[in-house]
Amino acid sequence: SLVKINFPTQIKTIWDFAFGNCVALNEITITENVESIRNSAFSGCTNLKTINILNGSSILELGYNRVENDYCYPMFEDCPIETIFIGRNIKSNSRDRSYNRLGCFANNKSIRTVVFGDNVTSIEQSAFKGCTSLNSIIIPRNITSIGDWAFYNSGLKDLVFESGSEVLKFELKVGSWDYKTPHTFQYCNISSISLGRNIVISGGSQNPSYGGNPSTFFPTTLKSLMIGDQVHNLECILLSSQKITSSLQHYPDLETIRFGANCATIPDLKNNNMLSNLSTTSTIPPTVAPFSDSQYMDLIVEVPSGAKTAYEGAVIWKNFWELRENDTLLTNIEYDGLLYQIMPENSLEVIKKKQSYTGDIIIPENIIFNNTEYMVTSIGESFSVCRELTSVSIPTSVVELSNKCFY
């Protein structure tokens, strides 16, 4: 009749079969002091639907559920889990027959909701592989690495990478080979992606005899792509057939795309025949390749308020019949070589550009754009790793310096 568990603070290890066959158990809360959960601890908990792993700084190590034919099955394989909160990093000891690590929630067909806490910095290999009911996920800014196969063959349709300045790395190592394209989202039917930070795909030479690598990093089912203002590295979306391309033609169903203020060059979209809406938050027209004649006539192009005149005078952009201004796209202003993010009450924060700032920088006290006066009040992580920066003049209007702004 045990329905719910809250572990006391002195518990550090949950031993083998501790709650085996507790068929009424519905919810567990794993406190930060628990360091290890041993094999089969929740085996046969056929009504367990909610797991809360509270915030903590230590890694939670999890065993497996059972072993059969040299296959160590994930700990929660027979639990009908629907909702999970993960507050710290997890290391699972389950694996498949090829000795590839499996996450403790891998192949669980009932998981619908996963939320990550602020202390989570990594998602382990195969963490949610085969979770076919998991339709959406938000990757918070504190997560800096994701293992290969993490969402392989899951039910993901909507994917959000929160905005952040720190690079997100995808680990490729599988067995003894490094592959060019990770299997992170292979066999997912993702239709919508919001990309708020730069992604790096590490890896070396591909094993030429191995044919199981996905052609693209994100699935070719993509229909909507929103790229945030801090993103300047587009290699993850340009990757096709193990190579960095210059176009997005490998996403044939793409209908809507938005580029952020740091996308100085927009990929070739000429062969994206389903594309109906193109927008950008840059007040300076980015470099772009020519479009087809039908795209010039039919494509709706939206730019920030106050920037339409600049786009109407720019090469390629001036050819579009439907060039519109949109108030919601005015999130940044580029002025005199500096990029600013618009903050509440018409204040501005100096932010990082793709090209590092160099030489002598003079930050003005205010800027007038589109007949509106903005006051510069803060400096973000704009000048970090700017090796050729010699001086910065900061006006008296600036009242806040962010972490690592000159790191």
Side-chain angles (χ1 to χ4, degrees):
S1 60
L2 182 63
V3 174
K4 185 177 180 180
I5 304 173
N6 288 292
F7 294 100
T9 56
Q10 68 269 24
I11 300 295
K12 294 185 179 296
T13 301
I14 301 173
W15 289 94
D16 304 49
F17 294 98
F19 299 94
N21 295 321
C22 290
V23 294
L25 186 61
N26 180 267
E27 179 179 348
I28 59 172
T29 297
I30 301 171
T31 49
E32 62 179 327
N33 48 284
V34 176
E35 299 173 352
S36 174
I37 301 178
R38 304 298 291 268
N39 302 332
S40 311
F42 297 97
S43 180
C45 293
T46 54
N47 197 42
L48 182 57
K49 295 183 179 180
T50 302
I51 296 179
N52 299 303
I53 302 173
L54 300 187
N55 292 326
S57 57
S58 63
I59 296 175
L60 176 62
E61 189 165 346
L62 300 172
Y64 50 80
N65 186 49
R66 61 188 172 95
V67 179
E68 184 178 314
N69 295 326
D70 204 29
Y71 192 116
C72 296
Y73 286 82
M75 172 168 286
F76 299 104
E77 63 156 332
D78 53 1
C79 303
I81 302 167
E82 295 180 357
T83 303
I84 307 168
F85 174 78
I86 301 175
R88 53 180 162 143
N89 292 335
I90 293 174
K91 179 183 178 182
S92 300
N93 290 317
S94 51
R95 57 172 173 78
D96 63 20
R97 294 183 184 89
S98 300
Y99 291 87
N100 293 319
R101 188 180 298 277
L102 290 174
C104 62
F105 303 110
N107 300 320
N108 192 302
K109 309 299 183 184
S110 58
I111 296 174
R112 297 182 180 277
T113 303
V114 177
V115 177
F116 297 100
D118 294 339
N119 288 350
V120 181
T121 59
S122 64
I123 299 176
E124 65 176 341
Q125 178 178 309
S126 302
F128 302 98
K129 178 181 180 179
C131 295
T132 53
S133 294
L134 184 61
N135 295 146
S136 64
I137 199 79
I138 296 175
I139 308 297
R141 61 178 59 88
N142 43 281
I143 291 179
T144 56
S145 68
I146 297 179
D148 203 0
W149 311 83
F151 297 96
Y152 176 89
N153 198 29
S154 69
L156 280 185
K157 291 181 172 56
D158 301 306
L159 178 60
V160 175
F161 297 93
E162 281 189 346
S163 178
S165 58
E166 193 162 357
V167 170
L168 174 59
K169 296 180 180 180
F170 282 82
E171 308 295 337
L172 298 182
K173 187 89 174 174
V174 178
S176 59
W177 291 97
D178 279 340
Y179 303 123
K180 286 291 186 182
T181 312
H183 305 76
T184 317
F185 304 107
Q186 189 176 14
Y187 300 126
C188 297
N189 291 316
I190 298 175
S191 60
S192 173
I193 294 177
S194 177
L195 183 61
R197 56 199 293 210
N198 291 301
I199 286 177
V200 171
I201 303 172
S202 60
S205 59
Q206 180 187 350
N207 177 0
S209 65
Y210 182 76
N213 294 334
S215 174
T216 60
F217 178 56
F218 293 124
T220 58
T221 53
L222 192 61
K223 293 184 178 181
S224 174
L225 176 60
M226 302 295 166
I227 301 172
D229 290 323
Q230 298 195 53
V231 178
H232 59 79
N233 184 349
L234 300 180
E235 289 187 357
C236 64
I237 66 170
L238 293 172
L239 189 62
S240 177
S241 300
Q242 310 298 323
K243 297 179 181 178
I244 304 300
T245 67
S246 60
S247 78
L248 296 182
Q249 64 180 357
H250 42 279
Y251 300 115
D253 298 327
L254 192 63
E255 298 174 355
T256 302
I257 190 166
R258 175 177 297 179
F259 293 96
N262 260 311
C263 293
T265 300
I266 289 179
D268 190 346
L269 297 166
K270 185 176 182 180
N271 293 314
N272 293 94
N273 298 322
M274 300 297 292
L275 192 65
S276 61
N277 186 283
L278 165 65
S279 60
T280 173
T281 61
S282 177
T283 54
I284 304 297
T287 302
V288 63
F291 289 77
S292 67
D293 290 342
S294 61
Q295 286 175 316
Y296 286 130
M297 291 185 291
D298 300 331
L299 193 59
I300 296 174
V301 177
E302 295 181 297
V303 301
S305 294
K308 183 177 179 182
T309 300
Y311 279 82
E312 287 177 332
V315 176
I316 305 298
W317 296 102
K318 64 182 180 181
N319 297 327
F320 288 105
W321 292 19
E322 291 288 338
L323 185 61
R324 307 173 182 175
E325 289 189 346
N326 187 326
D327 290 340
T328 63
L329 295 175
L330 186 56
T331 59
N332 296 269
I333 298 173
E334 187 169 348
Y335 181 84
D336 199 21
L338 293 175
L339 186 60
Y340 303 87
Q341 181 179 355
I342 299 176
M343 309 296 284
E345 299 180 355
N346 289 342
S347 61
L348 296 177
E349 178 174 282
V350 185
I351 62 173
K352 201 172 188 66
K353 287 181 62 177
K354 177 182 179 180
Q355 298 85 6
S356 295
Y357 295 116
T358 61
D360 301 317
I361 299 291
I362 299 177
I363 302 174
E365 186 171 299
N366 54 56
I367 291 172
I368 296 177
F369 181 81
N370 196 28
N371 298 319
T372 301
E373 183 175 3
Y374 298 89
M375 185 74 67
V376 182
T377 60
S378 60
I379 297 178
E381 296 182 28
S382 45
F383 302 111
S384 62
V385 203
C386 291
R387 307 298 186 194
E388 299 182 16
L389 186 67
T390 54
S391 69
V392 177
S393 176
I394 302 175
T396 57
S397 58
V398 172
V399 295
E400 183 178 350
L401 301 179
S402 74
N403 293 336
K404 299 182 179 180
C405 57
F406 289 97
Y407 182 78

